[in-house]
């Protein structure tokens, strides 16, 4: 009955950095801000880190958060605010993805409480916020969704089930 409220409460708690901070924490997060600025400026993923480091290629992985933030920067949002918002998005996605997997064996309310509790109490996951490694959690979220989609695909093989599974699987290294 209260599963939506539990999930909403679990996710909204992670909005507090949006109200209490002005810049993302950690070295990795500063890299996301820099990449978001470059994406927002050019409207696409840059080949290098120019003008900051023009001889260094930007690589092809771990740009999911920067891509989302870069789209927001392209529309006029500051890069710092956009990356802070991806933090809240990341933890919310993790809660919802875990709920999606837990629903295979647990009732809705139990799955919601377990998903929120696991993410809230998972110290290592919470700690990623302090150094900017929360992109790892977004990658885990995509992997959890891919796991659930794979189970559904094994139960009922179809092209309609294979496409979202393939997209999630391919998206994991792009996100992290």
């Amino acid at each position: 009955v209260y599963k939506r409220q539990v999930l909403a409460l679990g996710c909204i708690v992670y909005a507090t950095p949006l109200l209490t901070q002005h810049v993302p924490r950690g070295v990795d997060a500063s890299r996301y801000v820099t990449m978001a600025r470059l994406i927002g400026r050019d409207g696409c993923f840059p080949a290098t880190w120019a003008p900051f480091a023009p001889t260094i290629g930007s690589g092809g992985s771990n740009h999911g958060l920067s891509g989302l933030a870069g789209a927001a920067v392209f529309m006029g949002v500051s890069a710092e605010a956009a990356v802070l918002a991806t933090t809240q998005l990341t933890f919310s996605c993790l809660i919802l993805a875990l709920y999606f997997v837990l629903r295979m064996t647990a009732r809705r309310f139990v799955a919601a409480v377990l998903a929120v509790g696991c993410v809230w109490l998972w110290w290592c996951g919470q700690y990623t916020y302090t150094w900017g490694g929360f992109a790892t959690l977004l990658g885990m979220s995509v992997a959890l969704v891919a796991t659930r989609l794979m189970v559904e695909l094994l139960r009922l093989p179809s092209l309609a089930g294979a496409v979202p599974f393939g997209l999630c699987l391919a998206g994991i290294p792009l996100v992290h």
Side-chain angles (χ1 to χ4, degrees), residues 35-129:
M35 182 56 74
R37 278 196 183 108
L38 295 174
I39 293 168
R41 179 194 68 193
D42 300 338
C44 63
F45 285 97
T48 69
W49 287 91
F52 307 104
T55 59
I56 299 174
S58 64
S61 66
N62 199 12
H63 293 313
L65 289 175
S66 300
L68 290 171
V73 170
F74 189 73
M75 294 184 274
V77 176
S78 77
E80 294 82 5
V83 171
L84 277 173
T86 62
T87 305
Q88 196 266 339
L89 175 71
T90 296
F91 283 100
S92 297
C93 285
L94 185 59
I95 289 171
L96 297 175
L98 190 54
Y99 171 77
F100 191 48
V101 170
L102 288 168
R103 278 293 295 131
M104 291 190 298
T105 59
R107 295 180 185 261
R108 290 180 180 168
F109 181 73
V110 172
V113 169
L114 286 173
V116 170
C118 284
V119 174
W120 277 11
L121 298 174
W122 183 34
W123 182 85
C124 190
Q126 301 296 329
Y127 185 69
T128 64
Y129 175 71

Side-chain angles (χ1 to χ4, degrees), residues 10 29 49 53 105 133-134 145 152 159 161:
W49 287 91
T105 59
F134 46 89
V145 172
E152 294 299 322
L159 182 60

